[in-house]
Amino acid sequence: MYKILIADDHPLFREAIHNVISDGFPESEVMETADLDSALALTQEHDDLDLILLDLNMPGMHGLNGLINLRNEAPTVPVVIVSAEQDKQVVLQAITYGAVGFITKSSPRAQMTDAIEQILNGNVYLPSDIIRTQKASPRRHHDEASIPPELLQALTRKQLLVLERMTKGESNKQIAYNLDIAETTVKAHVSAILRKLNVHNRVQAILSAGDIDFTAYLRR
């Protein structure tokens, strides 16, 4: 069904995620490796990979540098970070550097399966519990990468509600359920939001809207 590479130096975790894939996506071909060099070699040998599950801390990674190297070598293969890391800034940086998702190793089995399914379906997956937390570092100036008020004023109330839930890490399916609207309607709202905010993708919207007090805008 799918061809997936697990790149992690912990044998027990590789076995665990292998089982998640085998149970959730039967007949998928799963390969395993324990360091970045081997992962890079396998991506060259198998250009038909559907997904790479990449550990941030295995040998050769040097943090997010390994992700950048892998994206440079195999730009067409989706990469999702699977890590014990819980820092919101690291999660957002990983997405900024080209990952299509971030799964924490402490995630329940069903949540991992759902995350992988979302990613294989072409969506970005962010851990909502981490995204909902306050920013871990005050490194950003108030006006840096933030959305000008006039652009926010251009959003309809429904679009503001959708954007608010996007910043919490919710998928289109979750937003549709929580707002009691069709998933196709959510997609239309997301497209309109990106256009009105002058951003290119969902991640940029989330990064720029992270500090917004939505309550103030929704009162109008």
Side-chain angles (χ1 to χ4, degrees):
M1 184 180 177
Y2 296 107
K3 194 169 186 177
I4 299 174
L5 171 62
I6 302 170
D8 194 294
D9 62 331
H10 290 87
L12 285 176
F13 182 77
R14 287 203 307 272
E15 181 181 352
I17 197 71
H18 194 146
N19 289 337
V20 168
I21 295 168
S22 297
D23 291 345
F25 311 92
E27 301 180 16
S28 293
E29 180 182 350
V30 181
M31 294 177 289
E32 299 181 16
T33 185
D35 59 70
L36 181 62
D37 288 343
S38 299
L40 289 169
L42 283 169
T43 58
Q44 296 302 311
E45 294 173 23
H46 303 273
D47 58 3
D48 57 343
L49 282 170
D50 292 296
L51 184 65
I52 300 172
L53 298 166
L54 185 68
D55 177 32
L56 265 186
N57 298 313
M58 70 177 180
M61 282 294 291
H62 305 296
L64 290 168
N65 287 328
L67 168 62
I68 296 170
N69 290 339
L70 191 57
R71 295 291 298 137
N72 287 337
E73 290 296 323
T76 62
V77 182
V79 179
V80 57
I81 298 298
V82 185
S83 175
E85 181 63 63
Q86 301 271 341
D87 187 281
K88 179 177 180 178
Q89 203 58 49
V90 174
V91 174
L92 294 177
Q93 283 179 339
I95 302 299
T96 302
Y97 293 157
V100 296
F102 196 107
I103 302 173
T104 56
K105 289 186 175 182
S106 59
S107 301
R109 186 185 183 93
Q111 188 176 329
M112 282 192 178
T113 303
D114 179 63
I116 294 171
E117 182 176 15
Q118 285 190 42
I119 292 161
L120 288 170
N121 287 335
N123 297 313
V124 171
Y125 178 83
L126 295 170
S128 57
D129 53 337
I130 295 177
I131 297 303
R132 286 192 185 103
T133 62
Q134 293 298 313
K135 290 196 177 296
S137 169
R139 64 174 185 83
R140 205 172 74 184
H141 294 296
H142 179 70
D143 60 348
E144 182 185 344
S146 60
I147 300 172
E150 61 270 19
L151 294 186
L152 282 172
Q153 295 287 357
L155 299 180
T156 66
R157 178 179 175 81
K158 188 67 78 172
Q159 288 165 358
L160 281 168
L161 289 169
V162 170
L163 178 59
E164 181 181 24
R165 293 198 169 273
M166 286 167 59
T167 64
K168 294 177 180 178
E170 293 185 10
S171 67
N172 286 351
K173 186 175 182 179
Q174 290 170 315
I175 295 172
Y177 176 81
N178 288 323
L179 297 182
D180 195 24
I181 56 179
E183 191 171 350
T184 52
T185 303
V186 175
K187 291 179 180 177
H189 282 318
V190 172
S191 296
I193 289 166
L194 301 186
R195 185 179 69 253
K196 289 182 178 181
L197 297 185
N198 293 325
V199 294
H200 298 294
N201 56 50
R202 190 186 192 96
V203 174
Q204 287 182 339
I206 291 170
L207 287 171
S208 59
D211 293 329
I212 292 172
D213 179 6
F214 284 94
T215 306
Y217 285 93
L218 289 167
R219 282 200 205 102
R220 65 179 199 221

